[in-house]
Amino acid sequence: MELTHVAVGDGDCTVRLDGPSTRHAVLLLPGAGDAPDVYDDVCARLHNSDLRTIVPESIEGLDDSAVMGLLDELKVGWVNLVGSREGAELAWTLAARQFGRFASLVVADRGHPAAPDDKGVVREAGCPPVELPTTVMVGSSTRRAEADASGRFVYSDFRVVELDGVTNVPASAAAALATEIVLRTSPW
């Protein structure tokens, strides 16, 4: 694995790059407080599927423009987007506002920002819909309604995967998450 520091905004971001050098890349955004290696098992599986992985060690200080700057600095044009919890919130807004840069979206434990969450709270009512093939994974049936409601804000193929009893999808369900990413990255 290659660690690189990329200047983004007013600071820099440590990014873990790995996998074969192909034109197929996956950007994986961790949740707040996740360990830098939270996606390691997922990435190992993705590398076996001929996918290059890009994983910021933390999403602290990252916003839409910082992520776009990171991708520009790494010279990555077209990428599949993945996020977990807070990283999923960032992934949703990127997919909704940066048309033409992302090929697919896979998120874990967060619905679209305009969909009410499990407590009925709408995080961002003005967030536009996404126009990408999208999969929402939830680790608890309590988040299922939020995931289902997100379908109204996806103008493409939409899928919900429920994994009961999983508190951190990348850490506890690496095989299931990698499978969903591979399904979304396949051009068939």
Side-chain angles (χ1 to χ4, degrees), residues 116-121 142-143 145-146:
D117 67 12
D118 58 332
K119 295 174 181 62
V121 176
T142 61
R143 296 201 82 106
E146 175 185 2

Side-chain angles (χ1 to χ4, degrees), residues 7-140:
V8 291
D10 295 334
D12 70 297
C13 178
T14 302
V15 179
R16 301 160 74 99
L17 301 169
D18 208 351
S21 292
T22 69
R23 61 187 176 102
H24 302 286
V26 180
L27 173 64
L28 299 109
L29 301 169
D34 278 344
D37 63 352
V38 70
Y39 282 115
D40 281 2
D41 289 342
V42 174
C43 289
R45 293 170 188 274
L46 296 178
H47 302 155
N48 289 335
S49 295
D50 204 29
L51 296 168
R52 181 139 180 91
T53 56
I54 304 162
V55 185
E57 287 198 333
S58 170
I59 63 163
E60 186 176 324
L62 292 182
D63 59 12
D64 291 6
S65 63
V67 171
M68 297 310 291
L70 182 143
L71 293 174
D72 290 342
E73 188 72 25
L74 294 173
K75 296 177 179 33
V76 177
W78 192 250
V79 69
N80 297 280
L81 187 57
V82 177
S84 176
R85 298 185 331 275
E86 294 83 6
E89 291 178 22
L90 180 56
W92 276 112
T93 61
L94 281 162
R97 294 189 171 105
Q98 303 294 330
F99 186 76
R101 192 72 185 259
F102 303 106
S104 67
L105 175 65
V106 177
V107 293
D109 287 328
R110 286 296 189 276
H112 188 279
D117 67 12
D118 58 332
K119 295 174 181 62
V121 176
V122 173
R123 289 183 304 282
E124 188 181 342
C127 185
V130 300
E131 297 182 34
L132 297 172
T134 301
T135 299
V136 179
M137 300 180 74
V138 292
S140 167

Side-chain angles (χ1 to χ4, degrees), residues 145-175:
E146 175 185 2
D148 289 339
S150 298
R152 292 181 294 147
F153 304 100
V154 177
Y155 296 170
S156 187
D157 183 57
F158 179 72
R159 175 176 158 84
V160 175
V161 176
E162 185 178 326
L163 306 167
D164 273 334
V166 176
T167 57
N168 187 329
V169 173
S172 302

